Structure formats: structure tokens, C-alpha cells
Amino acid sequence: MNYSLRQLRVFVAVARYESFSRAGDAIGLSQSAISHSMKELETEMSVRLLDRTTREVVLTDAGRRLANRVEPLLDELHAMLLDTRSFGTQHNGRVRIASSQTISAQLMP
């Protein structure tokens, strides 16, 4: 199993928009990149996730099950990574400085 987060994100976008071109517009990829990524994912998983016609893209039963489970996981992963990134940039707490009253009165303000 060698699925990439990119493939799963692309799959979720296709499931949401039911179109390669609209999904590509939403996530900033070309229609051919979307198509290629979906073919790779289906090949890797050995299951057909999408039924494609010239006019529409429809999830198969397997695709629907995967989309329903993967989308919340990707949302949670995204939130966790944002939280972790903000943890590194936000500093909070109490700073205590020990000094004489004379220095504190003149330098600290």
C-alpha cells in the first residue's frame, strides 16, 4: 500500500465536485493531472473508484465508501498539522525576571 496524501486529496475533490475539471480548478491541478492521479490510485488499490463518462464522474460503491471515510480523516489531519504549526509560532506563558527594585524601576518600563 503506497497511497499518497496527494492522491487521496485529489480523490476527495473529485468525489466532492463529481468532475475532474471542477476538482482541478478547486485544488489547482490540471484535468490531466487529476485523471493521472486517479488512475494511479485505482491501480494501487486494485479497485475501481470512479465510473467516468464524457459528461460525468460517478463514484462506485467502493469509491463512495472510501470518500465517506477518507474525507473526515484528511480534514482531521489538516487541522492537526495546522495546530502543530501554530504551536511552534505561538509562545505563551509567564516570564519572571529577578532584579533589584532600582534597576526594575528604571530599565523595565
Side-chain angles (χ1 to χ4, degrees):
M1 290 189 282
N2 192 19
Y3 319 117
S4 71
L5 284 176
R6 179 179 181 266
Q7 289 172 326
L8 295 174
R9 286 185 184 127
V10 168
F11 170 71
V12 167
V14 170
R16 183 179 297 149
Y17 295 102
E18 298 178 342
S19 163
F20 284 11
S21 58
R22 287 193 304 262
D25 290 342
I27 61 176
L29 294 175
S30 69
Q31 183 177 353
S32 63
I34 297 283
S35 179
H36 182 71
S37 185
M38 289 301 85
K39 284 180 186 177
E40 284 179 346
L41 182 60
E42 287 177 327
T43 300
E44 188 70 34
M45 295 185 76
S46 300
V47 67
R48 190 164 184 80
L49 301 171
L50 306 166
D51 286 328
R52 306 155 176 87
T53 67
T54 56
R55 297 186 186 268
E56 66 182 354
V57 175
V58 179
L59 292 171
T60 63
D61 288 338
R64 194 170 8 272
R65 288 182 67 176
L66 180 63
N68 288 337
R69 295 185 74 186
V70 164
E71 188 168 10
L73 292 173
L74 288 177
D75 291 343
E76 177 64 24
L77 178 62
H78 181 70
M80 180 186 62
L81 292 173
L82 287 177
D83 184 49
T84 302
R85 182 171 60 181
S86 69
F87 180 76
T89 59
Q90 293 179 352
H91 302 285
N92 58 9
R94 184 176 294 176
V95 176
R96 294 178 190 236
I97 299 174
S99 69
S100 70
Q101 289 181 345
T102 307
I103 293 174
S104 298
Q106 291 181 359
L107 295 177
M108 293 303 290

